[in-house]
């Protein structure tokens, strides 16, 4: 049964609204609401009754009973606005993998790294235009290991999210903080980070380093390296030895 069919099973409009909000983690578009029989007039009444609120005029709404953190509604609104009439399962079922993924700082904050950040970064698998003034865009192939479902949204894993921040030339202090936190948590795929950075270096003259060099510069203070045993070590993080295993091709320490 599709999401639309499940919502339509509710006999009352209020029941449909409750199911719609449940299926979208609280944030939905007017086009999604229209597909399940909820008119703009009905939504305006619910705004007046303080059941829902407008996130982005005039087409994005948030159910006030939603338990999702308030800042996630901004992430959801931006992702939903790319294809406002489609539900998440419809955007992935036809090609088994999303063509647009939340990445960068927003992706990391949804995975518990750092709190809300005002500007977003989206990863597209192919060139795509967007009218949003709140997001930046990077484009490269999206591999299965690049993303995961987090609270009903396709979100880049830490190594991909941080690599995309490098490609977007995000604030270097923010990149460094996130990189060190990902390594501390043991959730960093150096091989994939390096692949993304190096593949984009051919088309982006601002990226002059290899993926390994970028990692070493951002993670440590000059005493970080990749050994023959494919282990990255550093004593630059909180005065403690940090070890990250990796399948990235070995580079001798200079």
């Amino acid at each position: 049964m599709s999401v639309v069919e499940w919502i339509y099973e509710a006999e009352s409009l209020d029941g449909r609204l409750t199911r719609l909000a449940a299926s979208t983690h609280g944030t939905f578009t007017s086009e999604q609401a229209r597909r399940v029989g909820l008119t703009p007039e009905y939504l305006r009444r619910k705004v007046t009754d303080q059941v829902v609120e407008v996130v982005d005029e005039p087409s994005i709404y948030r159910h006030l009973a939603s338990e999702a953190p308030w800042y996630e509604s901004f992430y959801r609104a931006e992702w939903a606005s790319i294809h406002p009439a489609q539900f998440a399962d419809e955007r992935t079922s036809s090609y088994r993998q999303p063509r647009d993924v939340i990445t960068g700082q927003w992706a990391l904050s949804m995975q518990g790294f750092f709190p809300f950040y005002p500007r977003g970064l989206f990863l597209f698998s192919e060139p795509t235009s967007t009218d949003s003034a709140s997001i930046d865009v990077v484009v490269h192939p999206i591999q299965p290991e690049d993303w995961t479902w987090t609270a009903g949204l396709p979100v880049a894993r830490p190594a991909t999210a941080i690599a995309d921040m490098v490609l977007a030339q995000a604030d270097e202090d923010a990149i460094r903080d996130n990189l060190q936190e990902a390594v501390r948590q043991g959730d960093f795929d150096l091989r994939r980070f390096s692949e993304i950075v190096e593949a984009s270096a051919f088309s982006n003259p601002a990226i002059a380093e290899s993926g390994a060099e970028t990692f070493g510069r951002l993670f440590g203070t000059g005493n970080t390296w990749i050994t023959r045993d494919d282990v990255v070590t550093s004593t630059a993080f909180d005065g403690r030895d940090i070890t990250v295993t990796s399948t990235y091709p070995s580079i001798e320490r200079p």
Side-chain angles (χ1 to χ4, degrees):
M1 179 184 295
S2 70
V3 170
V4 174
E5 291 171 333
W6 175 69
I7 295 172
Y8 254 120
E9 277 192 339
E11 295 182 358
S12 69
L13 294 181
D14 287 352
R16 291 180 188 179
L17 176 62
T18 298
R19 288 193 174 190
L20 173 62
S23 70
T24 58
H25 290 259
T27 303
F28 57 91
T29 70
S30 58
E31 288 88 346
Q32 290 170 337
R34 187 178 295 110
R35 287 184 62 189
V36 296
L38 304 180
T39 65
E41 292 75 16
Y42 172 82
L43 293 177
R44 283 195 290 270
R45 289 201 303 272
K46 291 303 170 182
V47 171
T48 301
D49 295 341
Q50 297 185 334
V51 175
V52 300
E53 64 179 355
V54 177
V55 176
D56 182 20
E57 187 68 34
S59 60
I60 309 289
Y61 296 85
R62 177 178 181 270
H63 200 291
L64 293 176
S66 171
E67 296 181 356
W70 68 269
Y71 56 82
E72 281 189 10
S73 61
F74 293 96
Y75 309 168
R76 296 181 189 283
E78 291 292 349
W79 190 73
S81 66
I82 298 171
H83 300 288
Q86 293 182 312
F87 289 90
D89 63 329
E90 296 171 328
R91 289 173 66 169
T92 57
S93 61
S94 61
Y95 38 84
R96 298 185 181 180
Q97 188 150 298
R99 295 176 181 172
D100 37 70
V101 171
I102 295 174
T103 190
Q105 188 70 70
W106 280 8
L108 294 163
S109 70
M110 290 189 69
Q111 296 171 82
F113 278 61
F114 293 96
F116 174 73
Y117 186 74
R119 189 167 187 82
L121 183 65
F122 275 47
L123 164 61
F124 291 100
S125 61
E126 55 193 33
T128 306
S129 62
T130 174
D131 296 329
S132 175
S134 300
I135 65 171
D136 296 316
V137 171
V138 293
V139 180
H140 64 73
I142 301 174
Q143 303 298 332
E145 66 267 31
D146 285 338
W147 69 284
T148 185
W149 285 110
T150 300
L153 290 173
V155 173
R157 295 182 185 276
T160 300
I162 295 169
D164 290 340
M165 291 175 73
V166 173
L167 303 189
Q169 301 180 51
D171 178 75
E172 193 162 291
D173 287 337
I175 297 174
R176 180 178 293 107
D177 289 345
N178 282 292
L179 176 61
Q180 293 183 346
E181 179 64 16
V183 171
R184 187 189 68 79
Q185 293 185 15
D187 188 9
F188 189 82
D189 183 346
L190 177 59
R191 176 195 60 81
R192 185 58 183 146
F193 172 86
S194 298
E195 285 178 350
I196 294 171
V197 171
E198 290 172 6
S200 299
F202 293 104
S203 58
N204 189 342
I207 301 174
E209 301 172 314
S210 70
E213 290 169 336
T214 301
F215 175 88
R217 176 174 57 80
L218 292 170
F219 181 78
T221 57
N223 59 346
T224 302
W225 61 91
I226 301 180
T227 71
R228 287 185 179 276
D229 297 325
D230 293 334
V231 175
V232 178
T233 61
S234 174
T235 56
F237 189 66
D238 290 346
R240 296 178 288 110
D241 287 334
I242 300 293
T243 301
V244 184
T245 59
S246 172
T247 57
Y248 185 77
S250 303
I251 299 176
E252 290 188 43
R253 183 188 179 190

